[in-house]
């Protein structure tokens, strides 16, 4: 089965035998975008979070057929080293990552949160950011989320 | 869950017992059939609507339940403010329009928690039926609309195709087959949607 | 010890011709330390060190064409930030900017392989001396070469930011190196004074920050190879089950199916893609031989104080007589814990004309290679283990037996094979933190201070049966599980009578190293008990501790840390706004730490609002990353202390997924963490684990003040739920 969608601004058509193949594996192994991580395969840890039409989804539990015609964004398309997304800039400024494995999922979840709630309260963060980080970087993440909100709001004002 | 089933059992046993003792001996043959049939449709329908495949998403505390043990949804998910979850992390972050065999995450169209007016968890079958038929609590539906919802809505009928859990084990389906459930629901409505009197 | 000696001139070896023109490789072999010394090291009595395994000179540095230094690190980066600290040391002693240093994990075929492991929080501490010496020597070599190439006096040359300069002439390091045919190796120059470093001691950003923020493919599971197939491996779910056979229910006709391979205690399906392997796997019915279904009760029967192998790990003064008046005794426990690192284990394995290559997240590249060599009947030289960045280590990557499965699969398939664990496999085949049981006893003297304190503790394997032969050997030689012992001894030397007794039992499944090893549970038991005795004596818990600590050495440093924590955290026995404070301290690998926590209970849930952590880690090479390790230790420690528990259910280890395996999330992390660093030594000391020690006890001590109840069992939230029920 052929499925076409836009990923990080580029049109792609992939061919899979099983239309229920999780989008995660299409992104990682067919499109070779390794920034989206496999953590549990059960939509529990959030390491595979990416955006489909601007909404955060856990791609290990997202059949690729649902992506037909959709706009998909992964961490590679969120921002670049030269032009980072406010979330990435804040993540750098706060030196958030330790092992780094869960971080793309957290950054994607955060970017989606800021789209919905530009100035999230601590409660908003607690409710929406429920990925799992084993190194325990939550403390810095919270600071980074607040900073990212500021950066994003400032850039909108300009 | 067991306690709830046991309560249901006691309730049914009590009803049957009362009927047995109250029936006039002289007219026994004449009056036996109709009320028992009506009651049977109701009870059969309710054996489904009180099943965890239904009640898990009709909670009384805004917290969806999961699994055969109806534990609170992991990771603090709740539908207290919005039955679709939180602003950025919501039902659709994990649940799609179909079950996912790879992850064991269930899915169906319009996957969401029942609105808070439709809380069924902890209610008796009669209370559930009352709630279900009350336009103030059922989203303003007419009895006919309720019937269609119960027998046609994909999210409701998902209960018979609940897929596998995270370990790949099939989820339990309600005690009736889908066909029989649809038949008894329709029969109950056709017979006037009579809710048995509370004890 | 390593720190005092200079690198021997004779043992320097310079090689050319590696890779592109202008690449310079310098290798050295550090002298090996006597086994016993290293054991002592493990047993936390001596400063840590690096223990290189190589008998052949190996690649340490490469100078690349674009005038950067590429450091092949014998230690891996698993989040602890050591690559950044290495870059700081190299930049300072080689006179480079931070952006001129790159760090990668050394491959076993070309690099220096650490004989121990990356673990024990020893990376930065262990390489502190040798790495700076190497870097300084490299700088001298470059200056000397520049001198001979330009015909100038060495004394007239200076090196800065990758250039050697003489007056208005200057040459890049790469330029100099490209003209060298034979290097002359000088004596190691004097290292700089601490205060004159530009990078060391500064909170420079992590060198891997960009890679980790922009999603670069740097982890084990990101590895790939042309033509590779994917493996899903079925291993027993029931503890102790043995593989018998499989029946196909149509696996052959599944999309992408390649082949079924049977192994010693597993059966694998190979397919063109990983999801195809997962689906094909469901078409195998596997039969297992199940000799016994182990239960929680079985474990509790085996593992308790008074059962298993007894060893006194500390003895001072006389033993307590239980019947004596005034003796207080309390029992504590901690459950089995999973590593639950987010990157599942796995490996990419392939054969080519050079032999076998295995790419994976490992804390023990050298041991991985040795095990592959034994299992595959190949010489170590034919095997290259390529360690990547680790998506979490925490001790889980000390066991890399899956590398063998990957290699066997690659051999059977005749193709490169990538094997990734499912999450269930990860949870059921973890090398768990063992459950522990503790009895702590004590007695006050007439002044109300501790006169006696005894810690009797039972634990499953930590270092015993470890893949790390040295740890295993040490356990045998010392008769003690030195991992389970971490934090188990009484650190208050002013208590006239104190002792610690270990009861060690090997469980029917693997238990092993989990960040900080025995420290968390042992500290929980001892420090909860000490707190209870302070309450009994009606004394301030801070003063109750410092009163029984000497002023010298380790004890003096601990005393300072305790006093400092009480001051910075403004510890008070009284509480306001429904919040109480808890105090606890620990000592691990020569590093004292103390926490003050502020806790409340909201709707039955333990909420930790603020943690103040004081740590004496000696020289903080990167203070920001030391802080990050403290924050991480606190949050990971909270997760284990409050929520986590593995159990046996119908013979299987359970749970097998996040969620049911309850862990700390964003909402549980303290809103405020204050880290205060004390420099009580002139070398860097371990930081990745010591600050995890006090957290469980500190929280329990706060709960005691809030509720009057003493929590004695980890996970504390479960313990509180039971008390409130």
């Amino acid at each position: 089965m052929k499925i076409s969608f836009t990923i990080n601004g580029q049109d792609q058509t992939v061919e899979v035998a099983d239309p229920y193949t999780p989008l995660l594996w299409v992104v990682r192994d067919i499109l070779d975008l390794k920034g989206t991580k496999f953590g549990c395969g059960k939509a529990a840890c959030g390491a595979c979070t990416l955006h489909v039409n601007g909404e955060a989804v856990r791609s290990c539990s997202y059949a690729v057929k649902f992506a037909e015609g959709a706009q998909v964004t992964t961490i590679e398309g969120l921002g670049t080293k030269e032009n980072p997304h406010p979330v990435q800039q804040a993540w750098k400024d706060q030196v958030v990552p330790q092992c780094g494995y869960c971080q793309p999922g957290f950054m994607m979840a955060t970017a989606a949160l800021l789209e919905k709630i530009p100035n999230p309260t601590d409660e908003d963060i607690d409710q929406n950011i429920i990925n799992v980080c084993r190194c325990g970087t939550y403390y810095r993440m919270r600071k980074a989320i607040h900073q990212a909100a500021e950066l994003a709001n400032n850039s909108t004002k300009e | 869950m067991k306690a709830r089933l046991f309560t249901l059992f006691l309730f049914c046993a009590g009803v049957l017992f009362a009927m047995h003792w109250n029936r006039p001996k002289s007219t026994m043959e004449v009056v036996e059939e109709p009320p028992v049939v009506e009651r049977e449709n109701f009870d059969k329908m309710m054996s489904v609507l009180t099943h965890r495949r239904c009640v898990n998403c009709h909670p009384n505390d805004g917290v969806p339940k999961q699994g055969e043990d109806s534990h609170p949804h992991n990771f603090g998910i709740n539908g207290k403010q919005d039955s679709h979850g939180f602003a950025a992390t919501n039902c659709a972050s994990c649940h799609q329009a179909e079950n996912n065999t790879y992850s064991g995450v269930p899915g169906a169209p319009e996957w969401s928690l029942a609105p808070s007016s439709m809380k069924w968890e902890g209610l008796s079958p009669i209370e559930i039926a009352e709630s279900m038929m009350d336009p103030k609590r059922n989203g303003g539906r007419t009895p006919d609309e309720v019937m269609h919802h119960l027998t046609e809505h994909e999210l409701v009928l998902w209960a018979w195709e609940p897929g596998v859990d995270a370990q790949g084990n099939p989820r339990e389906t309600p005690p009736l087959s889908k066909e029989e459930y649809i038949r008894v629901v329709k029969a109950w409505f056709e017979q006037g949607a009579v809710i048995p009197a509370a004890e | 010890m390593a720190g005092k000696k200079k690198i021997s001139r004779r043992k320097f070896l310079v090689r050319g011709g590696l890779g592109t023109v202008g690449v310079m490789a310098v290798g050295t072999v550090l002298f090996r330390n006597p086994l016993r010394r290293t054991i002592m090291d493990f047993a936390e009595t001596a400063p840590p060190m690096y223990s290189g395994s190589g008998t052949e000179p190996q690649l340490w540095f490469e100078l690349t064409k674009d005038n950067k230094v590429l450091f092949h690190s014998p230690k891996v980066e698993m989040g602890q930030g050591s690559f950044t600290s290495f870059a700081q040391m190299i930049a300072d002693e080689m006179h480079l900017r931070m952006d001129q240093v790159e760090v990668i994990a050394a491959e076993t075929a070309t690099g220096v392989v650490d004989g121990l492991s990356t673990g024990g929080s020893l990376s930065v501490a262990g390489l502190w001396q040798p790495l700076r010496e190497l870097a300084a020597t490299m700088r001298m070599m470059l200056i000397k070469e520049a001198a001979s190439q330009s015909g100038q006096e060495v004394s007239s040359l200076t090196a800065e930011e990758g250039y050697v300069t003489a007056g208005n002439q200057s040459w890049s390091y790469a330029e100099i190196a490209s003209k060298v045919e034979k290097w002359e190796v000088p004596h190691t120059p004097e290292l700089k004074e601490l205060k004159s470093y530009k990078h060391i001691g500064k909170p420079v950003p992590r060198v891997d920050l960009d890679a980790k923020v922009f999603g670069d493919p740097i982890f084990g599971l990101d590895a790939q190879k042309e033509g590779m197939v994917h493996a899903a491996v079925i291993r027993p779910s029931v503890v102790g089950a043995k593989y018998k056979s499989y029946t196909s229910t149509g696996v052959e006709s599944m999309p992408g199916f390649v082949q079924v391979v049977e192994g010693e205690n597993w059966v694998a399906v190979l397919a063109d893609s990983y999801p195809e392997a997962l689906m094909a796997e469901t078409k195998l019915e596997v039969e297992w031989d199940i000799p016994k279904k182990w239960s929680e009760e079985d474990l509790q029967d085996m593992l308790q104080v008074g059962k298993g192998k007894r060893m006194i790990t500390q003895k001072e003064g006389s033993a307590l007589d239980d019947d004596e008046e005034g003796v207080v005794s309390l029992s504590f426990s901690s459950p089995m814990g999973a590593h639950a690192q987010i990157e599942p284990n796995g490996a990419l394995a392939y054969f080519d004309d050079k032999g076998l290559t295995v790419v994976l997240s490992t804390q023990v590249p050298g041991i991985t290679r040795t095990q592959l060599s034994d299992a595959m009947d190949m010489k170590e030289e034919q095997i290259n283990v390529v360690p990547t960045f680790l998506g979490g280590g925490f001790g889980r990557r000390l066991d890399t037996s899956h590398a063998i499965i990957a290699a066997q699969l690659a051999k059977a398939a005749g193709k490169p094979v990538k094997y990734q664990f499912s999450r269930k496999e990860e949870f059921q085949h973890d090398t768990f933190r063992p459950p522990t049981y503790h009895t702590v006893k004590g007695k006050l003297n007439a002044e109300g201070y501790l006169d006696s304190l005894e810690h009797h503790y039972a634990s499953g394997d930590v270092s015993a049966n470890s893949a790390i032969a040295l740890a295993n050997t040490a356990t045998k030689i010392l008769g003690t599980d030195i991992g389970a012992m971490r934090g188990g001894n009484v650190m208050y030397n002013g208590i006239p009578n104190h002792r610690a007794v270990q009861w060690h039992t090997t469980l029917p499944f693997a238990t092993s190293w989990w960040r900080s090893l025995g420290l968390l549970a042992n500290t929980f038991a001892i420090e909860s008990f000490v707190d209870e005795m302070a309450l009994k004596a009606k004394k301030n818990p801070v003063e109750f501790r410092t009163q029984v600590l000497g002023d010298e050495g380790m004890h003096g440093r601990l005393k300072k840390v305790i006093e400092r924590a009480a001051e910075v955290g403004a510890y008070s026995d009284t509480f306001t706004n429904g919040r109480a404070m808890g105090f606890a301290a620990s000592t691990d690998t020569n590093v004292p730490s103390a926490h003050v926590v502020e806790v409340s209970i909201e709707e039955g849930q333990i909420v930790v609002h603020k943690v103040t952590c004081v740590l004496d880690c000696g020289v903080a090479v990167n203070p920001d990353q030391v802080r990050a390790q403290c924050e991480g230790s606190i949050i990971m420690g909270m997760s284990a202390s409050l929520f986590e528990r593995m159990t046996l259910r119908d013979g299987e280890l359970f749970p097998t997924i996040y969620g049911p395996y309850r862990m700390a999330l964003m909402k549980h992390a303290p809103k405020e963490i204050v880290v205060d660093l004390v420099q009580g030594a002139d070398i860097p000391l371990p930081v990745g684990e010591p600050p995890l020690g006090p957290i469980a006890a500190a929280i329990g001590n706060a709960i005691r003040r809030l509720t009057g109840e003493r929590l004695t069992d980890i996970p504390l939230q479960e313990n509180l739920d039971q008390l409130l029920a």
Side-chain angles (χ1 to χ4, degrees):
Chain A
M1 183 182 182
K2 278 190 176 168
I3 293 151
S4 300
F5 51 88
T6 305
I7 184 160
N8 300 332
Q10 288 194 325
D11 292 337
Q12 285 284 359
T13 299
V14 294
E15 181 139 25
V16 285
D18 179 5
Y20 291 91
T21 301
L23 181 58
L24 169 67
W25 299 111
V26 172
V27 167
R28 279 182 64 77
D29 288 344
I30 297 179
L31 302 175
D32 197 25
L33 294 166
K34 297 281 196 281
T36 307
K37 298 300 181 197
F38 165 52
C40 69
K42 305 290 175 186
C45 71
C48 65
T49 305
L50 45 68
H51 296 175
V52 176
N53 295 331
E55 301 279 342
V57 300
R58 295 191 170 178
S59 62
C60 73
S61 187
Y62 192 91
V64 65
K65 69 170 191 168
F66 294 129
E68 176 65 44
Q71 299 279 340
V72 178
T73 308
T74 67
I75 188 73
E76 291 91 343
L78 190 68
T80 59
K81 287 170 189 170
E82 297 69 35
N83 187 21
H85 184 277
V87 170
Q88 290 168 311
Q89 185 60 51
W91 244 248
K92 282 186 69 171
D93 291 350
Q94 300 296 333
V95 197
V96 175
Q98 287 186 25
C99 92
Y101 195 80
C102 70
Q103 302 292 339
F106 271 97
M107 284 184 276
M108 296 309 285
T110 300
L113 172 64
L114 297 184
E115 286 297 319
K116 306 275 179 185
I117 307 177
N119 285 301
T121 61
D122 279 337
E123 199 189 351
D124 293 328
I125 293 170
D126 288 347
Q127 289 176 336
N128 285 280
I129 306 301
I130 52 174
N131 297 14
V132 183
C133 167
R134 190 42 151 172
C135 298
T137 64
Y138 301 122
Y139 178 68
R140 288 188 183 203
M141 278 188 204
R142 185 185 299 281
K143 290 186 182 178
I145 295 168
H146 286 304
Q147 191 201 335
E150 258 177 57
L151 290 173
N153 293 340
N154 290 342
S155 71
T156 322
K157 277 175 206 155
E158 277 160 17
Chain B
M1 198 60 223
K2 272 183 187 158
R4 210 171 298 141
L5 284 173
F6 186 65
T7 312
L8 181 66
F9 169 76
L10 282 182
F11 171 75
C12 295
V15 167
L16 290 172
F17 183 77
M19 285 156 88
H20 180 74
W21 284 102
N22 291 339
R23 67 190 172 189
K25 276 173 189 161
S26 59
T27 58
M28 205 167 121
E29 290 80 12
V30 184
V31 295
E32 189 162 4
E33 278 300 306
V36 172
V37 169
E38 190 175 310
R39 179 75 214 197
E40 190 184 314
N41 286 334
F42 177 80
D43 288 341
K44 281 188 167 178
M45 174 176 75
M46 279 306 160
S47 73
V48 172
L49 300 190
T50 53
H51 189 270
R52 48 193 164 276
R53 285 291 84 77
C54 296
V55 179
N56 276 359
C57 288
H58 282 265
N60 61 14
D61 57 358
V63 178
K65 306 301 186 294
Q66 293 180 305
E68 310 307 336
D69 62 350
S70 297
H71 61 263
H73 196 296
N74 290 314
F75 305 106
I77 293 292
N78 79 60
K80 288 174 186 174
Q81 286 148 26
D82 181 331
S83 56
H84 291 87
F86 304 116
T89 301
N90 46 52
C91 300
S93 303
C94 303
H95 300 269
Q96 309 309 327
E98 292 180 52
N99 293 325
N100 191 300
T101 316
Y102 289 89
S103 63
V105 174
E110 300 178 53
W111 190 272
S112 70
L113 210 54
S116 63
S117 69
M118 302 183 195
K119 52 182 82 154
W120 289 359
E121 188 185 4
L123 298 188
S124 71
I126 289 172
E127 288 167 335
I128 289 175
E130 285 168 354
S131 164
M132 185 172 86
M133 300 306 290
D134 177 2
K136 289 196 193 97
R137 288 183 279 170
N138 74 8
R141 290 184 172 97
T142 64
D144 196 46
E145 284 169 340
V146 175
M147 191 269 286
H148 284 289
H149 175 76
L150 288 177
T151 58
E152 289 167 21
H153 199 277
E154 285 173 292
L155 184 54
V156 174
L157 299 183
W158 166 86
W160 283 273
E161 280 157 23
V164 296
D165 66 13
Q167 303 312 324
N169 301 316
R171 286 193 181 81
E172 192 182 286
T173 52
L176 298 187
S177 71
K178 181 163 79 179
E179 293 68 31
E180 195 184 359
Y181 159 78
I182 291 172
R183 188 181 62 74
V184 299
V185 172
K186 286 184 172 166
W188 183 71
F189 276 93
E190 278 161 19
Q191 286 164 0
V194 177
I195 301 170
E199 288 297 283
Chain C
M1 74 179 234
K4 297 288 188 285
K5 289 195 186 175
K6 295 280 181 269
I7 292 158
S8 155
R9 256 188 104 196
R10 285 174 292 118
K11 285 179 178 172
F12 253 107
L13 182 84
V14 179
R15 300 194 298 196
L18 272 179
T20 53
V21 180
V23 169
M24 174 176 75
V26 175
T28 181
V29 177
L30 293 170
F31 55 88
R32 302 181 77 170
N33 296 283
L35 177 66
R36 205 156 59 88
R37 187 56 185 266
T38 311
I39 290 169
M40 294 290 274
D41 215 4
F42 262 81
E44 67 187 82
T45 52
M49 66 186 75
Y50 163 75
S51 168
S53 72
T55 49
E56 289 292 314
Q58 296 283 354
L59 180 66
W60 280 85
F61 296 108
E62 278 182 60
L63 204 48
T64 58
K65 260 186 185 169
D66 56 353
N67 206 30
K68 284 184 177 178
V69 167
L70 185 61
F71 172 55
H72 294 252
S73 169
K75 299 283 186 182
V76 297
E77 175 62 75
M78 50 191 181
Q80 78 279 42
S82 53
F83 276 15
T84 306
S85 295
F86 297 156
Q88 290 172 270
M89 297 181 206
I90 293 164
D92 260 327
E93 287 293 352
M94 272 189 84
H95 295 192
L96 293 161
R97 295 190 311 269
M98 281 298 288
D99 65 3
Q100 292 177 304
V101 188
E102 279 179 39
V103 186
I104 58 166
E107 301 180 12
T108 62
T110 49
V112 177
V113 180
D114 192 334
L116 296 176
S117 70
T118 301
S121 309
L122 300 176
S123 297
V124 174
L127 282 177
W128 170 244
Q129 196 69 15
L131 185 54
R132 287 182 306 145
E133 287 177 359
L134 275 171
T137 310
M138 285 278 295
R139 185 188 78 232
M140 275 313 298
M141 286 161 71
L142 285 159
I143 292 174
K144 283 200 156 196
E145 285 301 332
S148 71
Q149 283 171 19
S150 64
Q152 310 221 27
E153 287 295 312
V154 166
S155 59
S156 67
L157 300 179
T158 56
E160 212 56 56
E161 295 196 354
Y163 287 84
V164 176
T165 305
N168 53 5
Q169 281 182 295
S170 75
W171 310 270
S172 77
Y173 286 1
E175 198 182 336
I176 299 164
S178 68
K179 293 178 193 152
V180 178
E181 276 173 22
K182 193 166 182 296
W183 289 90
E184 194 188 325
V185 183
H187 287 287
T188 301
E190 281 302 315
L191 298 178
K192 291 183 199 170
E193 294 278 315
L194 259 182
K195 59 177 186 294
S196 64
Y197 283 128
K198 280 185 192 168
H199 309 291
I200 291 170
K202 307 293 188 300
V204 302
R206 292 180 67 108
V207 292
D208 51 8
L209 198 48
D210 266 4
K212 289 177 175 177
V213 167
F214 296 95
D216 291 358
I218 57 173
F219 298 100
L221 291 194
D222 296 338
Q224 55 193 0
K225 181 81 179 165
E226 188 73 33
M228 74 179 180
V229 294
H230 295 259
V233 180
I234 306 173
R235 294 205 278 163
S237 281
V238 175
V239 169
K242 291 279 169 271
Y243 174 71
K244 279 172 78 175
S245 61
Y246 79 89
T247 314
S248 166
T249 57
V251 68
E252 300 80 6
S253 55
M254 292 298 283
F257 172 78
V258 175
Q259 72 186 96
V260 174
V261 184
E262 292 176 277
E264 196 190 324
N265 205 27
W266 49 265
V267 56
V269 178
L270 301 180
D272 291 336
S273 76
Y274 185 60
E276 285 170 332
L278 287 176
M279 275 300 124
E281 180 193 59
T282 64
K283 301 293 177 189
L284 291 189
E285 271 174 21
V286 182
E287 207 182 326
W288 304 97
D289 182 26
I290 300 171
K292 177 181 167 69
K293 287 199 173 176
W294 292 89
S295 69
E296 280 291 299
E297 291 70 36
D298 291 332
L299 298 192
Q300 282 162 20
D301 284 347
M302 294 173 77
L303 186 66
Q304 48 179 275
V305 172
K307 283 204 175 169
K309 189 173 180 197
R310 177 177 181 268
M311 178 58 67
I312 298 175
T313 57
Q314 189 186 32
K315 191 161 111 178
E316 187 70 44
S318 54
L320 272 171
D321 176 356
D322 287 356
D323 298 328
E324 209 178 318
E325 206 188 314
V327 174
V328 179
S329 173
L330 280 176
S331 293
F332 300 88
S333 75
S334 77
M336 194 189 332
H339 288 93
Q341 81 291 342
I342 312 295
E343 183 195 25
N345 279 293
L348 165 68
Y350 60 89
F351 289 85
D352 58 19
D353 52 8
K354 284 185 224 140
L356 168 65
T357 299
V358 179
V359 187
L360 80 170
S361 290
T362 173
Q363 287 175 251
V364 285
I367 293 168
T368 305
R369 181 179 61 179
T370 303
Q371 290 179 340
L372 282 166
S373 158
D374 292 345
M376 304 306 291
D377 198 19
M378 293 172 74
K379 289 189 182 122
E380 291 204 352
E381 302 81 71
Q382 296 173 287
I383 300 169
N384 188 21
V385 172
V386 183
T388 59
F389 280 84
L390 277 58
F394 315 116
R396 177 59 189 91
R397 320 284 191 174
L398 299 173
D399 166 37
T400 56
S401 46
H402 45 276
I404 296 168
I405 298 180
Q408 288 168 337
L409 288 170
K411 194 173 178 185
K415 289 175 183 171
V417 170
K418 184 167 171 180
Y419 166 27
Q420 341 190 32
F421 281 30
S422 71
R423 187 47 65 177
K424 182 183 181 189
E425 189 178 1
E426 191 64 53
F427 269 106
Q428 293 196 324
H429 296 273
D430 195 356
T431 52
F432 302 92
R433 187 186 70 234
T436 63
Y437 294 89
H438 314 251
T439 301
V440 193
K441 300 181 215 178
K443 192 171 174 284
L444 299 172
N445 61 22
E447 288 77 42
Y449 294 103
L450 281 165
D451 182 56
S452 292
L453 183 61
E454 295 185 6
H455 179 221
H456 303 255
Y457 59 109
S459 171
D461 291 350
V462 176
S463 59
N465 299 310
S466 164
I468 300 176
L470 202 55
N472 201 13
T473 309
T475 297
K476 284 183 184 147
I477 293 172
L478 299 175
T480 305
D481 190 305
I482 53 174
M485 196 179 93
R486 293 263 288 264
N489 286 353
V490 173
M491 55 191 179
Y492 302 108
N493 64 331
I495 302 173
N497 309 295
H498 59 267
R499 59 183 56 210
V501 183
Q502 182 186 89
W503 298 87
H504 170 237
T505 302
T506 297
L507 297 176
F509 46 83
T511 62
S512 180
W513 303 43
W514 186 101
R515 194 178 190 173
S516 92
L517 297 83
L519 180 71
L520 179 68
N522 288 330
T523 306
F524 169 63
I526 298 175
E527 286 290 282
S528 294
F529 183 86
V530 167
D531 188 69
E532 198 58 38
M533 294 303 273
L535 286 165
K536 184 176 158 71
K538 297 190 168 60
K539 298 222 184 281
N540 177 295
V542 176
E543 190 253 340
F544 188 72
R545 286 173 169 84
T546 53
Q547 186 68 29
V548 285
L549 274 172
D551 294 317
E552 301 301 314
M554 188 57 236
H555 302 102
R557 288 172 54 216
L558 172 62
K559 191 174 185 171
K560 271 189 193 144
V561 162
I562 288 176
E563 285 166 346
R564 179 84 185 146
E567 185 192 327
V568 177
Y571 180 80
S572 162
D573 251 348
T574 58
F575 62 94
T576 49
N577 300 331
R579 288 190 193 183
M581 289 185 169
F583 190 92
S586 68
T587 306
D588 185 44
T589 55
N590 222 12
V591 176
S593 170
H595 292 176
V596 178
V597 299
E598 293 185 28
V599 176
S600 70
I601 298 174
E602 287 164 23
E603 294 175 7
Q605 300 298 303
I606 297 169
V607 180
V608 179
H609 299 273
K610 179 182 175 184
V611 179
T612 301
C613 166
V614 176
L615 186 79
D616 176 358
C617 60
V619 173
V621 174
N622 188 326
D624 178 64
Q625 284 307 300
V626 173
R627 283 170 205 280
Q629 285 302 297
C630 290
E631 294 157 11
S633 288
I634 287 164
I635 293 169
M636 184 168 171
M638 275 178 57
S639 187
S641 305
L642 294 176
F643 304 124
E644 297 175 28
R645 175 199 286 283
M646 289 298 296
T647 55
L648 277 169
R649 191 186 270 194
D650 200 27
E652 290 191 27
L653 286 152
F654 178 89
T656 60
I657 186 68
Y658 299 111
Y661 188 74
R662 200 174 164 205
M663 287 163 65
L665 300 175
M666 176 74 80
K667 65 181 172 188
H668 302 113
K671 297 279 196 306
E672 201 180 346
I673 297 178
V674 177
V675 176
D676 190 84
L677 302 177
V678 174
Q679 191 187 318
D682 58 4
I683 52 166
L685 295 171
V687 297
E689 300 174 292
L692 205 146
I695 191 71
I699 295 170
N701 295 345
I703 299 287
R704 171 70 173 79
R705 282 163 176 73
L706 270 176
T707 65
E709 300 279 0
R710 169 59 61 190
L711 300 184
T712 55
D713 304 294
I714 294 174
L716 301 178
Q717 182 63 52
E718 221 175 84
N719 195 176
L720 182 69
D721 292 346
Q722 287 156 357
L723 289 172
L724 296 177

